[in-house]
Amino acid sequence: MRALSKQTKPATPSTVEKKWHLIDADGLVVGRVASIIANILRGKHKPSFTPHIDCGDNVIVINADKVRFTGKKLDQKVYYKHTGYAGGIKGITAGKVLDSKFPERVLEKAVERMVPRGPLGRQQMRNLRIFKGAEHDHTAQNPQILDVAGMNRKNKVGA
């Protein structure tokens, strides 16, 4: 038996350590913050990343109603849904979604489309908590604050 191995052992559900991260989305660009969140949810930031295991961390996002779009996406980006009836396709612009009752759906949809589809992706999306205001109810988990705006100057609009 060798003392040092150059191979990384694949993660198993019992060996995965989950942490909590807090992201303040005030003024952040939607796509950039969504890709960072998706990588954390999948666990790609860990050296023990295993594609078929939920080895990602939990993410709390506050101020999701203050995310920003670049260019003309606020007026031109359209989210579609279908009612189930013939000719029942409906569209709503990103600006109207941000002004509606649930503005956090913009960020939720962006992250949802960046994680894998299927049972594993649904499990990873359950580790995401998005709040439109500055308050959240997960202070007991002692989340680690993640400064997304400081990672790259392009992550924040107007910086």
Side-chain angles (χ1 to χ4, degrees), residues 33-151:
V33 71
S35 66
I36 292 168
I37 292 170
N39 280 337
I40 293 171
L41 288 176
R42 292 207 60 203
K44 293 189 105 178
H45 64 291
K46 295 181 178 181
S48 63
F49 170 67
T50 309
H52 63 281
I53 299 292
D54 180 18
C55 54
D57 293 336
N58 295 288
V59 179
I60 304 165
V61 181
I62 57 173
N63 293 323
D65 56 339
K66 297 177 182 163
V67 292
R68 304 287 294 275
F69 284 96
T70 57
K72 298 180 182 178
K73 293 186 198 88
L74 201 62
D75 302 321
Q76 292 180 353
K77 182 172 181 58
V78 181
Y79 294 100
Y80 292 103
K81 67 177 183 177
H82 200 281
T83 62
Y85 292 96
I89 193 158
K90 305 283 184 182
I92 185 169
T93 63
K96 287 186 180 179
V97 175
L98 282 176
D99 292 335
S100 70
K101 187 176 179 182
F102 301 106
E104 61 270 12
R105 286 184 182 162
V106 169
L107 196 57
E108 183 181 350
K109 281 294 176 189
V111 173
E112 183 181 326
R113 291 166 181 172
M114 292 183 187
V115 297
R117 279 88 179 145
L120 179 62
R122 288 190 291 273
Q123 174 62 41
Q124 290 168 346
M125 284 300 292
R126 283 193 281 271
N127 295 331
L128 175 65
R129 279 95 172 164
I130 302 178
F131 299 94
K132 63 180 171 182
E135 296 85 25
H136 63 90
D137 51 358
H138 296 283
T139 53
Q141 281 73 29
N142 297 323
Q144 186 178 6
I145 296 174
L146 188 64
D147 184 22
V148 177
M151 290 180 181

